[in-house]
Amino acid sequence: MRPGVAAILAALSLLTLGSAPAGEVPLPARMRDTGGGTQLITAQAARTGATSGTVTWWNRRGGRWVRAGSAPARFGAKGLVEGTARRQGTYTTPTGLYHLPFAFGIKPAPGGTRLRYRRVGPDSWWCQDNGSRTYNRWTQPRPADCRAAESEHLVAYPRQYAHALVIGFNYSRPVRGRGAGIFLHVNGRGATAGCVSVPREAMRRILAWADPARRPHIAIGTAGGATAISRY
């Protein structure tokens, strides 16, 4: 292999691993809040109308944020919207800073996974029925007050939910009508219904990387404007 070609391939390899150019301030260092932990996932789109962008996962070491990996991402079919203003069924991804309650999947947890991981079974549902006491919660089995037509039967999405992370949007104190079932999951065929998705191998890498002892969070936002990721 010619030296020039080797140098180019080496540079591309660094970009794939997420190495930042010399002198660039890491994205988490420009944010208002990163959740207080030493791990962070950022999901950034160019603008609110975008349906694609980049997910990057970071470690804080020695007082500095260091990129651990990066992958292309997909967002809602109708783009992104401020999380506190989001409405259910709008196909928008909520912006904001969120905790990550637990991981789940139809497939077994990737090797090295330390997060709490729930296996999806035939009776696993995510309730999105605004009238249910289990709104925006995993239910197994589905309770009588949670209509199937208003919920997700998780096993019905073998590609997307092979592996997933629950994003804590509207989770701790659910507001009816704001939205339910927002996850970081494996890519489907195109834009999502409001989740963030990445290629399957990237999802597996994220699950093996995330350490609950380091309190990982996810920040979702745009490059600028009212929903700039730096605001969160």
Side-chain angles (χ1 to χ4, degrees), residues 102-128:
F102 62 91
F104 68 89
I106 294 171
K107 300 291 186 181
T113 299
R114 287 159 288 183
L115 295 169
R116 182 164 68 101
Y117 190 92
R118 299 187 70 171
R119 285 293 301 276
V120 172
D123 290 328
S124 303
W125 293 76
W126 197 275
C127 185
Q128 300 178 354

Side-chain angles (χ1 to χ4, degrees), residues 104-108 117 119-122 124 152-164 183-189 197-201 203-204 207:
F104 68 89
I106 294 171
K107 300 291 186 181
Y117 190 92
R119 285 293 301 276
V120 172
S124 303
E152 276 197 341
H153 194 194
L154 299 178
V155 76
Y157 300 89
R159 177 188 293 184
Q160 294 92 324
Y161 297 155
H163 304 292
F183 312 128
L184 173 62
H185 63 68
V186 177
N187 284 339
R189 292 186 177 181
S197 73
V198 293
R200 180 170 176 171
E201 185 53 36
M203 191 70 237
R204 292 177 60 85
L207 288 177

